[in-house]
Amino acid sequence: MAGSRLPRQLFLQGVAAVFMFAFASLYTQIPGLYGAEGILPARKTLRPQGKGRWQQLWETPTLLWEAPKLGLDTTQGLELLSLLGTLLALGALLLRQLRTLLVYLLLWAAYLSAYQVGQVFLYFQWDSLLLETGFLAVLVAPLRPRHHHKQAPQGGLAGALPHEDLPFWLVRWLLFRLMFASGVVKLTSRCPAWWGLTALTYHYETQCLPTPASWFTHHLPVWLHKLCVVATFLIEIAVPPLFFAPVRRLRLAAFYSQVLLQVLIIITGNYNFFNLLTLVLTTALLDDGHLTATPGNSHCKKTASSWPRTLLAVLSLLLEFAVYGLLAYGTVHYFGLEVDWEQHAVHSRTTFTFHQFSQWLKMVTLPTMWLGVASLTWELLTALWRWTQVRGWPRRLCTAVQLLIFGTATVALFVISLVPYSYMEPSTHGRLWTGAHRLFGTVEHLQLANSYGLFRRMTGLGGRPEVVLEGSYDGHRWVEIEFMYKPGNVSRPPPIVAPHQPRLDWQMWFAALGPHSHSPWFTGLVLRLLQGKEPVIRLIRNDVTKYPFHKRPPTYLRAQRYKYWFSPPGEQSQWWRRQWVEEFFPPVSLGDPTLDVLLRQFGLQDKSPPRARSSSNTLAQALRWVRRQLSPLEPSTLLWGLLAAAGAIRVVQALHSRPHSPRSSPPGKEEKHRPAPKKDSGAATKRAAPAPDNCTSSSQSPGRKK
């Protein structure tokens, strides 16, 4: 079996990078979303209930309970956590010594703390996915940094522990749950666009934040859109079981198919850090052999293999052909693929019914769980076998304790994850072991396992609904308030925002799908804009001078609902076309009875002013200074700047770590320090010879002369 040291390091680096983006993106929006003058002040979410300290911390697990002890209010504590999280994640991304269990535990605890007070603006599936992935990173990360240049007697790394692959297997299981459920819910939702294979003819223009590439892909031929939907079902439903395939090349094929899907989504949509996080999860499908493979290895001369190994290779190849053939046949059969040579197109349609799919799902959900059980059992047996190879009783005892702890944690997390995984098939969910339900209920608030199902239904089939805010001084002449990222001005091209997530823009997209009463926070937004609160204005226009009411707040505010469509290819200088639909929010002003009733109904009234904190607090002053320095930067620019800085530091690190060329040594110096050859060097060479299937270049031979 190939090792997973390099994939684990790649995974830990990727998790650190995603945490960095998530914390930095959240930090830029804290005053407008959660400040005392924000839309949903965070201080209202942490009300002491007279419970004990530890009970309070368990029921609402957030470090922000301790903010008053530092002389900070809830918002300042959230800013401090976000800044420290960004810096700590950046350090873990750049320094191997910081990729330890303690660092990732702090990152997970900090984001969970923010999640507890984030309310609707942090209730996205990728926030839950980041928390679940972050906790797995806690288990994958080593207890302390280890040197990676020493070789172990068994051929692995010095200090390699038997349990190390167990938590990393949970990453693969999480990737399976995410992708398989995302594919299944598209069909269980009975969405006509997914069943008719026409979802992508709407998706690119109706998604929350399109990119410029979305406009171009939207105008591709319909038959190609339908074929891409077929490919999506193939990658999300049929391919994920291959994550546990015993044949390495099948797992690598599954890896590249997932990477392809995520890269295409990144190009055609602004989904913040979600697709980057999914790409990080795919590292669980890799191994050291694949990451260290070089083109020169294919030219190495291999020695003859034994007949059992040859037979195994032939059987593996036959299994590969069988799997690829089955996937091809199933795709053609169930989606009725037909080639139209005259029109140069491939036509497709679903040839199965909802009832047939429901019966199939009921038949395969439990076997996929048993597939996970079998794969995990193999990992446990492998870890146990590696433990038997450990030499020395003190080391064997220590590794046995670690194997017991991490093995138990791995099994427990797997059992917990079965509960949300089974949500997609109710009858299977009801037959699950009751102990799994109790265990999941105990830790559910910690976000250790979650249910997933992205793009369940395609919205905006009759046009993309969009809410447009308007302000006025006299109630007759209205001026539109344009957001930085979401569609508004029909002449403005869609922006590239990722990995930043403008959370207000995202919630505006959800608000447009229903009445304003389904989005209580919208009334809070209207109130703050009527009050002219700058933190909220910066969520709409970071450059306040571009906000149409920056000199004086509007007297009246209202919202209209429009439908947007991408402009046809022939139109010049226009990316969108739109049509007015209805009034979304009635005209209101400060003191208006309609506004007051809504504020009371949703509990958004400022009943009591925030408790004043000492302005002489050094930490609070430092936080305000940092905020003043970073406020002028647009959030997406700040995140790309962080990425550029991390990349530059990595380049410098790589240049400093490059070995010096032997040619730079003075003549004769290398000969002077070379140890004299021993008489038994030939025997030593024989003992160190590689296995028959390995190949080493002649430059690695101890007997070579310079």
Side-chain angles (χ1 to χ4, degrees), residues 545-593:
T545 60
K546 294 183 179 180
Y547 179 68
F549 302 99
H550 66 278
K551 293 183 179 179
R552 183 163 61 95
T555 306
Y556 301 95
L557 209 64
R558 71 181 185 184
Q560 308 285 348
R561 196 198 312 267
Y562 285 82
K563 283 193 175 180
Y564 277 66
W565 298 269
F566 273 139
S567 61
E571 294 188 10
Q572 296 291 332
S573 70
Q574 280 200 340
W575 291 79
W576 300 94
R577 56 188 179 91
R578 73 179 188 178
Q579 178 182 346
W580 180 85
V581 178
E582 61 183 349
E583 183 179 74
F584 179 77
F585 195 90
V588 294
S589 60
L590 290 177
D592 189 298

Side-chain angles (χ1 to χ4, degrees), residues 43-169:
R43 63 186 175 88
K44 296 183 179 181
T45 63
L46 294 182
R47 302 287 190 185
Q49 302 295 328
K51 300 178 181 178
R53 179 181 180 184
W54 294 110
Q55 182 183 0
Q56 182 175 261
L57 185 61
W58 172 253
E59 293 180 357
T60 308
T62 174
L63 299 174
L64 295 174
W65 288 115
E66 307 300 319
K69 296 183 178 180
L70 300 176
L72 305 176
D73 58 29
T74 304
T75 306
Q76 291 171 329
L78 189 56
E79 289 188 346
L80 179 62
L81 280 180
S82 299
L83 283 174
L84 293 179
T86 302
L87 295 176
L88 195 60
L90 178 61
L93 174 63
L94 297 175
L95 300 175
R96 185 187 181 93
Q97 293 78 6
L98 288 180
R99 292 177 215 139
T100 61
L101 183 149
L102 177 60
V103 169
Y104 286 93
L105 180 61
L106 291 174
L107 290 173
W108 174 78
Y111 204 76
L112 180 63
S113 300
Y115 180 86
Q116 295 297 323
V117 301
Q119 305 168 79
V120 69
F121 292 109
L122 242 67
Y123 290 169
F124 293 96
Q125 289 196 46
W126 35 84
D127 292 311
S128 299
L129 180 63
L130 178 56
L131 284 170
E132 185 171 351
T133 306
F135 191 78
L136 295 185
V138 174
L139 301 178
V140 172
L143 288 171
R144 59 181 184 276
R146 293 193 300 271
H147 299 291
H148 58 279
H149 60 276
K150 297 180 181 179
Q151 296 295 323
Q154 290 83 20
L157 296 175
L161 301 173
H163 74 269
E164 287 182 334
D165 284 342
L166 288 178
F168 199 47
W169 178 89

Side-chain angles (χ1 to χ4, degrees), residues 3-13 96 148 157 168 283 286-293:
S4 63
R5 177 182 65 86
L6 293 178
R8 288 200 308 271
Q9 285 299 318
L10 198 59
F11 168 74
L12 292 175
Q13 285 181 283
R96 185 187 181 93
H148 58 279
L157 296 175
F168 199 47
T283 58
L286 299 174
D287 54 51
D288 290 341
H290 186 66
L291 292 178
T292 58

Side-chain angles (χ1 to χ4, degrees), residues 415-587:
V415 172
I416 291 171
S417 71
L418 295 179
V419 177
Y421 171 68
S422 64
Y423 285 160
M424 62 184 180
E425 212 293 293
S427 63
T428 304
H429 179 74
R431 295 201 306 268
L432 270 183
W433 177 46
T434 55
H437 288 280
R438 289 196 298 269
L439 190 59
F440 173 75
T442 303
V443 298
E444 183 178 6
H445 63 297
L446 298 178
Q447 302 296 308
L448 301 185
N450 303 280
S451 61
Y452 303 101
L454 298 165
F455 308 110
R456 185 185 302 267
R457 295 188 66 88
M458 195 54 56
T459 59
L461 300 187
R464 172 198 181 95
E466 198 68 59
V467 172
V468 176
L469 277 165
E470 296 177 341
S472 173
Y473 289 120
D474 56 12
H476 299 288
R477 289 172 294 183
W478 296 88
V479 178
E480 290 189 8
I481 298 175
E482 187 176 355
F483 283 63
M484 281 187 291
Y485 307 115
K486 82 179 193 68
N489 187 342
V490 295
S491 300
R492 191 185 66 173
I496 297 178
V497 182
H500 172 57
Q501 181 184 359
R503 295 182 180 269
L504 177 58
D505 294 65
W506 267 88
Q507 285 299 336
M508 289 289 288
W509 181 80
F510 283 106
L513 301 178
H516 71 82
S517 57
H518 290 180
S519 304
W521 58 267
F522 190 84
T523 305
L525 171 65
V526 170
L527 173 66
R528 296 311 187 193
L529 292 180
L530 287 172
Q531 295 172 340
K533 300 302 183 182
E534 184 176 322
V536 177
I537 293 174
R538 285 188 176 274
L539 295 176
I540 297 174
R541 303 295 300 183
N542 192 67
D543 185 356
V544 179
T545 60
K546 294 183 179 180
Y547 179 68
F549 302 99
H550 66 278
K551 293 183 179 179
R552 183 163 61 95
T555 306
Y556 301 95
L557 209 64
R558 71 181 185 184
Q560 308 285 348
R561 196 198 312 267
Y562 285 82
K563 283 193 175 180
Y564 277 66
W565 298 269
F566 273 139
S567 61
E571 294 188 10
Q572 296 291 332
S573 70
Q574 280 200 340
W575 291 79
W576 300 94
R577 56 188 179 91
R578 73 179 188 178
Q579 178 182 346
W580 180 85
V581 178
E582 61 183 349
E583 183 179 74
F584 179 77
F585 195 90

Side-chain angles (χ1 to χ4, degrees), residues 296-308:
N297 287 345
S298 60
H299 302 292
C300 296
K301 184 178 180 180
K302 295 186 178 181
T303 57
S305 301
S306 59
W307 71 264

Side-chain angles (χ1 to χ4, degrees), residues 234-248:
L234 177 67
I235 293 173
E236 292 186 345
I237 298 178
V239 170
L242 299 182
F243 297 169
F244 308 103
V247 180
R248 177 171 174 261

